[in-house]
Amino acid sequence: AHEDTGLQSQPPPEEQNYGATAARVRQGPFVSVSVKGPAKREYLIAAVLCYANLINFMDWFIVPGILLDIQNYFKLKDGDIGLLQTVFILCYMLAAPVFGYLGDRYNRKIILGAGIFFWSGVTLGSSFISELYYWIFFLSRGLVGIGTASFSTIAPTIIADLFEEGKRTTMLSIFYIFIPVGSGLGYVLAAGMADVTDDWHWAFRITPCLGGLALVLLILLVPHRTQRRTAAHRALSISGTIRVAAEKPGVHRTAKTTWCQDVISLAKNCSFIWSSLGLTAMAFVTGALGTWVPVFLYRAQVVQGIVPPCLRESCDSSNSLIFGGITIGTGILGVIAGAEAARRLRKINNKADPLICAASMFISSLCLYVALMVAQTNILSTFIFIAFGELFLSVNWAVVTDILLYVVTPRRQSTAIALQILVSHLLGDAGSPYLIGAISHAIQDKNVHSFQWSFWSMQYSFIVCAFVGVCGGGFFLLTSFYIEEDRKEAER
């Protein structure tokens, strides 16, 4: 059972409305326990988790980086190639609640290590699949999604337990920077290996080696058991001293709850529900862009006469390289900007986090819509507006997770993250790559086959992303109506 010691301390005035630091708890007899800042070992553990997160998302976005090559190799249509990423996401999201349940109850290091070993091995095996067995390739991507879910569900909770409130936001921001950085490097790795070796299969043989290194570091540097802190510990240790109450009946213990009880409690948490739907809109847009933007840019360049049509197995991958670079740069800037804006604005507005997310979603949707409209006439402007769209999407990564961590009690956080992954991917990027591809394919079927209609079909289908992005901004606005009350409830 989780022990919830009664704690009391008064945080500094400037921190009272910051994240979870406004916690109020019962009074009782106290014993002072000094609290030191994070040790070097804790930063080292966080560094290992950040590196593993980098490899995680590199592997995730290898397929979009060489999508044209895979499409030509297996002779797949737009709808089929969109389904490839959908299979990955479906398995990822269905496995997430299982790992969330296990992560709240069993050894997290063992689960992380098993997940990294599993997806690394499957990725390596998928590089040897013949064009006659495309269904095995689809299956392998689904299995990789299962292994990936173990890490994405559990790693943020370990970081949350390693660091106190102020440093927690910073470390989570660094952790989530590696989502866009890893995604961009996935494009760059895939396109680079395809160019160097003239064989796209080699792209799937690099990340397993990097994953093996991550597994070794995890085994050597991450302790077998990591301490789980209560909300009160996180809130009060910021003042430098924790006063631990003597055990009294009804004060020092929190009974175990079942998974169903956890889910029912989370379903009543309006901030968690609305912010999860906002994250779902983010995932929808990110999944569609990540899968189809290089193909969309290629078709725009063909229409403009900038590049010739690709009719062979190995296609020009410059768009993937450029888009990968854009993803890395805008991801780093976006996550840092979002964390810094949240840190500053929280001091003057308790609703700053969801309002930042809402504003960034609205601006991102506008930028993406403009990018679609100028694509046929000016490819440079298209790159610029896509970059701004990705920049404002990236603002939200760390902020959304921080919202979850202070509106959900610690003993339910792995379950909450797992359910958020399930919902955001089920309604988000699990279906968006396939939906965009299916709409594009349907438009092409109803018109004369040409490079012009090939471009228009993708352009029209992408407008769905701008609409979903606006809906996501609305969901974050709704979150702001409930966040103060839900934060106080989690602290109690």
Side-chain angles (χ1 to χ4, degrees), residues 298-367:
Y298 156 75
R299 293 181 182 180
Q301 291 170 336
V302 170
V303 170
Q304 293 181 39
I306 298 174
V307 299
C310 177
L311 302 176
R312 56 195 179 90
E313 183 178 311
S314 182
C315 300
D316 179 28
S317 54
S318 60
N319 286 323
S320 292
L321 288 170
I322 296 172
F323 184 65
I326 289 174
T327 302
I328 294 171
T330 57
I332 294 173
L333 290 175
V335 172
I336 292 174
E340 182 63 18
R343 187 184 69 82
R344 292 176 179 272
L345 295 178
R346 280 171 184 160
K347 296 178 181 178
I348 58 176
N349 189 337
N350 292 337
K351 300 179 180 181
D353 287 354
L355 293 177
I356 289 170
C357 293
S360 66
M361 287 297 292
F362 290 137
I363 297 172
S364 175
S365 298
L366 177 62
C367 291

Side-chain angles (χ1 to χ4, degrees), residues 167-180:
K167 292 189 179 296
R168 188 188 75 207
T169 301
T170 301
M171 296 310 298
L172 281 173
S173 300
I174 295 173
F175 180 80
Y176 281 105
I177 279 176
F178 287 96
I179 291 179

Side-chain angles (χ1 to χ4, degrees), residues 24 26 45 49 54 59 71 101 145 150 155 167 196 216 240 247 256 288 297 332 341-342 369 373 429 452 461 484:
R24 296 176 182 175
R26 300 182 184 183
I45 294 169
L49 296 177
L54 174 74
D59 188 79
Q71 188 172 24
Y101 176 88
S150 66
K167 292 189 179 296
V196 170
V216 171
E247 293 190 359
K256 275 188 176 181
L297 293 171
I332 294 173
Y369 181 78
M373 294 301 103
D429 54 352
Q452 182 67 67
S461 60
E484 290 182 290

Side-chain angles (χ1 to χ4, degrees), residues 92-355:
Y92 173 82
M93 70 178 191
L94 291 175
V98 176
F99 288 115
Y101 176 88
L102 296 175
D104 280 338
R105 292 160 176 82
Y106 301 102
N107 189 289
R108 292 179 288 184
K109 177 179 176 178
I110 294 175
I111 298 171
L112 289 180
I116 293 174
F117 177 80
F118 182 73
W119 70 250
S120 296
V122 175
T123 298
L124 180 62
S126 67
S127 67
F128 299 100
I129 297 173
S130 165
E131 69 270 20
L132 299 177
Y133 300 99
Y134 69 91
W135 61 272
I136 299 181
F137 189 76
F138 276 67
L139 176 63
S140 71
R141 294 309 294 170
L143 294 176
V144 170
I146 293 174
T148 299
S150 66
F151 185 85
S152 297
T153 304
I154 296 171
T157 66
I158 295 179
I159 291 179
D161 287 339
L162 288 174
F163 300 94
E164 304 303 341
E165 179 63 29
K167 292 189 179 296
R168 188 188 75 207
T169 301
T170 301
M171 296 310 298
L172 281 173
S173 300
I174 295 173
F175 180 80
Y176 281 105
I177 279 176
F178 287 96
I179 291 179
V181 171
S183 303
L185 286 177
Y187 287 101
V188 173
L189 170 68
M193 291 303 297
D195 284 343
V196 170
T197 63
D198 202 29
D199 182 2
W200 62 266
H201 293 87
W202 278 97
F204 290 91
R205 296 166 187 169
I206 302 300
T207 52
C209 298
L210 299 175
L213 176 59
L215 180 60
V216 171
L217 292 174
L218 182 76
I219 294 171
L220 295 178
L221 300 177
V222 177
H224 192 63
R225 294 190 180 276
T226 52
Q227 178 187 5
R228 298 174 188 265
R229 301 177 190 266
T230 65
H233 271 89
R234 292 177 185 169
L236 299 174
S237 60
I238 196 168
S239 65
T241 300
I242 293 180
R243 296 178 179 178
V244 182
E247 293 190 359
K248 293 176 66 176
V251 174
H252 69 285
R253 288 190 179 274
T254 301
K256 275 188 176 181
T257 55
T258 66
W259 187 81
C260 290
Q261 288 174 323
D262 290 345
V263 172
I264 292 171
S265 176
L266 292 170
K268 297 176 181 179
N269 189 322
C270 293
S271 296
F272 171 73
I273 295 297
W274 290 118
S275 63
S276 295
L277 290 176
L279 181 63
T280 299
M282 282 176 56
F284 184 99
V285 176
T286 303
L289 294 179
T291 302
W292 289 111
V293 161
V295 175
F296 173 71
L297 293 171
Y298 156 75
R299 293 181 182 180
Q301 291 170 336
V302 170
V303 170
Q304 293 181 39
I306 298 174
V307 299
C310 177
L311 302 176
R312 56 195 179 90
E313 183 178 311
S314 182
C315 300
D316 179 28
S317 54
S318 60
N319 286 323
S320 292
L321 288 170
I322 296 172
F323 184 65
I326 289 174
T327 302
I328 294 171
T330 57
I332 294 173
L333 290 175
V335 172
I336 292 174
E340 182 63 18
R343 187 184 69 82
R344 292 176 179 272
L345 295 178
R346 280 171 184 160
K347 296 178 181 178
I348 58 176
N349 189 337
N350 292 337
K351 300 179 180 181
D353 287 354
L355 293 177

